[in-house]
Amino acid sequence: MLTPDRTLRYGPDPDHVADVWVPAEPSARPLVVFIHGGYWRAEYDRTHTRPMAADLRDRGWPVAAIEYRRRAGRPDDLVDDVRAALKAVPPALGAGRVVVAGHSAGGHLALWAAAAAPAPGLLGTIALAPVADLTWADEQGLGQGAVAAFLGCPAAERADLDPVRLKHPAEPVVLAHGDADTDAPLKLSESYVAAHPASRLVVIPGAGHYEVIDPRSVAWPYVIGELAASAGGDLRAGEEASR
């Protein structure tokens, strides 16, 4: 079983923790703060991202995989946790520089944080198959009504938590999405880029929802390429690096 190198606590709740993965050799690469998905539901926690975090660590990337409270109808608790975790995880783990990444619902949270609560030392944000348009996802009933369960109200009433309706983040944003994703369709990322044209969308041919966090998949080199670009502070150059 994969286990993190250590676990940090950022608050009093049992879910106020972050698993930290530290490369064996000193690294000048930025810290990857990763926010897991699972449609904001309690049964999905950060442990399913451990293969991904371990692979990044073994490639020389320091990683902090944050946990957060996942309680239906209490979205403000959840985003408060993300805000607190981003402030508490020491950027010194990545030489003072941070890339925030997230998958699915975690991609939504990464995009929200980029606009509303950017991490100290943030270089940019990489959202993998993100639920980037809450209103559209709510209208489509994605995840068996996951958006309404998360918010406790229609998405149209919480524009402050909907990435497509927030201001554009100050730092670069890249979205990577498989064109065969049926859990969180590509339309979600396309909607975000239409609303925020300064962001960039990388479409991964043939990839479904989970390939983007699977180190064994053909989609994984695209993710590594985007991280490599971010280390130079230029997320927009990553598409070529990922080929």
Side-chain angles (χ1 to χ4, degrees):
M1 179 178 179
L2 295 170
T3 56
D5 296 303
R6 63 180 185 267
T7 298
L8 302 178
R9 175 160 292 284
Y10 68 87
D13 191 89
D15 284 327
H16 289 160
V17 293
D19 289 341
V20 176
W21 307 75
V22 182
E25 300 295 330
S27 173
R29 288 175 170 166
L31 170 68
V32 178
V33 177
F34 194 81
I35 309 174
H36 73 81
Y39 270 129
W40 311 280
R41 289 187 167 120
E43 58 263 39
Y44 303 104
D45 64 15
R46 68 196 183 284
T47 58
H48 74 271
T49 67
R50 286 181 174 178
M52 178 205 73
D55 183 84
L56 290 176
R57 185 266 318 274
D58 294 345
R59 292 173 184 266
W61 295 90
V63 179
I66 68 171
E67 194 55 87
Y68 49 87
R69 288 173 289 176
R70 304 167 309 287
R71 297 170 187 171
R74 301 185 64 175
D76 294 299
D77 288 351
L78 193 157
V79 295
D80 284 349
D81 287 354
V82 171
R83 188 195 307 269
L86 292 178
K87 287 182 178 179
V89 173
L93 291 168
R97 300 176 302 153
V98 172
V99 174
V100 174
H103 172 242
S104 192
H108 156 261
L109 294 168
L111 294 172
W112 169 84
L122 182 67
L123 290 177
T125 299
I126 301 175
L128 307 175
V131 186
D133 184 340
L134 292 185
T135 299
W136 187 82
D138 192 19
E139 291 170 350
Q140 301 301 309
L142 296 184
Q144 298 180 323
V147 175
F150 160 52
L151 295 176
C153 65
E157 296 180 15
R158 293 303 306 261
D160 60 313
L161 298 182
D162 199 342
V164 299
R165 289 157 181 83
L166 295 175
K167 66 181 181 180
H168 186 73
E171 303 302 333
V173 172
V174 171
L175 300 88
H177 216 127
D179 63 4
D181 191 334
T182 56
D183 293 275
L186 178 60
K187 166 69 177 175
L188 292 163
S189 286
E190 292 174 337
S191 180
Y192 182 90
V193 173
H196 300 292
S199 60
R200 183 168 61 84
L201 172 59
V202 177
V203 178
I204 306 176
H209 191 59
Y210 297 100
E211 282 86 347
V212 292
I213 59 168
D214 183 353
R216 303 164 299 177
S217 78
V218 295
W220 192 237
Y222 287 82
V223 177
I224 296 300
E226 295 305 326
L227 286 172
S230 75
D234 182 8
L235 295 180
R236 289 160 294 192
E239 191 168 7
E240 290 76 20
S242 66
R243 302 300 178 121

